[in-house]
């Protein structure tokens, strides 16, 4: 007897595809809904190759309310939803705020409505540590106050958390978990799937691997005058496969009788902060090659440091990160080499 059938919105994307593997490996039957706006259909056969199982995929845009409702009506046995589908570029969101609000907020409203109408009562939401803004105290716990999020992207995550909270409050049959991801990097150990940014990457890890692969000329390190041990900013990098595993734990939690009603929030990070220079050094060790970089000024909107207190996840979700920074940078490089056909 298979476990619940899980609907994975955005399951063809970077984190979604890694999560699908963990779900299948843990006996879940899954169905992916994705409009492929930031992913490729090629990932679906790769998922089959890695797991040895068929993966159901439906090309659907969650902004299309009617199509989403029809999908729910026609699809039997959906027990839970993991909601990844969103636009995620901070810079792009500043240039196209309405596109981000429509996609991320309207998409989530459509999903919640369809869930309620079809009595699908369990939701895991992809949130971000960006909801904490620039924290006053480190590490951040789930009780840390939400902060100012300068970009429409970051604000859309706060709004979605709030609208899920209010919907669950009004409909207590609905149960939700919001996972606040820190900085996911790396790739599945098979080297078959990984992060494929469209255009020049905004984020550090893909910029590093693309520079090493010769796709980018040089990495700009944004600022070395922060109040940190080497002057570069600190983040809590987490292996994407560890992050994926946290979703399996969240689903178990949603199904357990211990789960209190309402929304629960969990930090998904390692609890360890690393500077930009530490990431570069780790990458150089993993790849065995020096990286071209130059220090430039700080990036607008960047914060000095953030890392998680992940003890609530450990205690309640029984989840903690297994991989360290060297595992993350090594797997990111393996993926980049495979993707570019580099030996
Ligand atoms: P991604 O872009 O690789 O994956 C998102 C997927 O959603 C893509 O496959 C895209 O095609 C799909 N999608 C977008 N809009 C859609 C729509 N309207 N209808 C159907 N499908 C749609 O991004 P990711 O890095 O895998 O992120 C997944 C989730 O995690 C997002 O909600 C993101 O905001 C959140 N998150 C990501 C990070 C990160 O650093 N990658 C950090 C914190 C939170
Ligand atoms: C960014 C987003 C954040 C989002 C997160 C995960 C901004 C301001 N914030 O956060 O909302 O939740 O990604 O997707 O964009 N760096 C360089 N050179 C580069 C790229 C990055 O030095 O070319 C530095 C950054 O200054 C930062 C660190 O590397 O100190 C990590 O950057 P990045 O990967 O973009 O993640 P965040 O800034 O944490």
């Amino acid at each position: 007897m298979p476990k619940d059938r899980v609907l994975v919105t955005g399951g063809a994307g970077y984190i979604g595809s890694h999560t699908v593997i963990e779900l299948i490996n843990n006996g879940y039957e899954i169905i992916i809904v994705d409009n492929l706006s930031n992913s490729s259909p090629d990932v679906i056969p790769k998922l089959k190759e890695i797991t040895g199982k068929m993966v159901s995929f439906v090309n659907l845009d969650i902004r299309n309310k009617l199509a989403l409702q029809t999908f729910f009506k026609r699809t039997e046995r959906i027990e839970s939803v993991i909601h990844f589908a969103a636009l995620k570029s901070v810079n792009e969101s500043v240039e196209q705020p309405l596109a981000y609000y429509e996609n991320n907020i309207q998409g989530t409203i459509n999903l919640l409505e369809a869930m309620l109408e079809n009595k699908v009562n369990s939701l895991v939401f992809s949130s971000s540590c960006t909801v904490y803004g620039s924290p006053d105290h480190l590490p951040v716990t789930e009780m840390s106050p939400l902060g100012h999020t300068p970009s429409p992207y970051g604000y859309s995550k706060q709004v979605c958390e709030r609208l899920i909270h209010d919907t669950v409050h009004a409909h207590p049959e609905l149960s939700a978990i919001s996972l606040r991801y820190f900085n996911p990097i790396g790739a599945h150990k098979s080297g078959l799937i990984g992060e494929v940014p469209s255009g020049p990457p905004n984020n550090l890890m893909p910029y590093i691997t693309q520079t090493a692969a010769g796709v980018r000329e040089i990495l700009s390190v944004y600022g070395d005058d922060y109040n940190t041990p080497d002057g570069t900013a600190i983040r809590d990098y987490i292996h994407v496969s560890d992050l994926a595993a946290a979703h399996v734990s969240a689903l178990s939690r949603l199904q357990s009788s211990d789960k209190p009603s309402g929304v629960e929030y969990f930090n998904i990070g390692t609890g360890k902060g690393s500077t930009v220079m530490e990431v570069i050094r780790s990458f150089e060790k993993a790849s065995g090659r020096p990286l071209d970089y130059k220090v430039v000024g700080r990036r607008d909107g960047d914060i000095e440091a953030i890392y998680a207190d992940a003890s609530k996840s450990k205690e309640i979700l029984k989840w903690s990160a297994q991989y360290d920074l060297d595992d993350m940078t090594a797997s990111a490089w393996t993926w980049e080499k495979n993707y570019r056909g580099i030996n």
Side-chain angles (χ1 to χ4, degrees), residues 18-90:
H18 286 81
T19 302
V20 164
I21 295 170
E22 293 298 319
L23 292 171
I24 292 176
N25 288 345
N26 281 276
Y28 287 95
E29 196 186 314
I30 65 105
I31 179 159
I32 294 175
V33 157
D34 200 302
N35 67 355
L36 302 176
S37 57
N38 197 37
S39 50
S40 156
D42 299 348
V43 79
I44 307 297
K46 301 268 178 55
L47 294 175
K48 183 171 176 236
E49 192 178 337
I50 294 167
T51 62
K53 297 268 164 53
M54 279 301 289
V55 176
S56 310
F57 168 71
V58 178
N59 189 335
L60 192 155
D61 190 322
I62 61 164
R63 288 173 301 177
N64 186 336
K65 191 169 172 168
L66 190 60
L68 190 62
Q69 281 176 341
T70 307
F71 165 82
F72 266 84
K73 290 219 159 45
R74 287 190 184 154
T75 312
E76 288 170 352
R77 280 196 307 108
I78 301 176
E79 296 281 350
S80 2
V81 177
I82 305 184
H83 179 33
F84 294 103
L87 298 176
K88 64 159 182 180
S89 161
V90 171

Side-chain angles (χ1 to χ4, degrees), residues 90 128 130 183 202-204 220-222 233 235 237 299 302:
V90 171
S128 167
T130 198
N183 287 58
N202 293 319
N203 298 117
L204 178 63
S220 295
V221 173
Y222 297 135
R235 298 289 184 274
Y237 297 94
R299 178 171 68 177
D302 262 354

Side-chain angles (χ1 to χ4, degrees), residues 193-259:
I193 60 166
E195 192 172 7
V196 189
S198 48
N202 293 319
N203 298 117
L204 178 63
M205 195 69 239
Y207 212 104
I208 289 178
T209 54
Q210 289 194 10
T211 303
V215 182
R216 310 280 155 211
E217 204 179 323
I218 189 164
L219 171 79
S220 295
V221 173
Y222 297 135
D224 66 352
D225 56 353
Y226 288 107
N227 185 20
T228 63
D230 61 27
T232 63
I234 290 178
R235 298 289 184 274
D236 186 340
Y237 297 94
I238 172 152
H239 196 299
V240 67
S241 294
D242 273 335
L243 178 57
H247 295 78
V248 177
S249 305
L251 281 184
S252 305
R253 173 75 178 165
L254 282 169
Q255 278 133 31
S256 94
S257 51
D258 295 346
K259 159 100 177 47

Side-chain angles (χ1 to χ4, degrees), residues 255-287:
Q255 278 133 31
S256 94
S257 51
D258 295 346
K259 159 100 177 47
S261 59
V263 188
E264 283 187 300
Y265 303 88
F266 293 100
N267 285 343
I268 306 298
T270 62
K272 186 178 181 303
S274 303
T275 65
V276 174
M277 283 315 300
E278 283 169 336
V279 178
I280 293 173
R281 297 294 172 231
S282 167
F283 174 80
E284 289 179 327
K285 193 163 70 169
S287 65

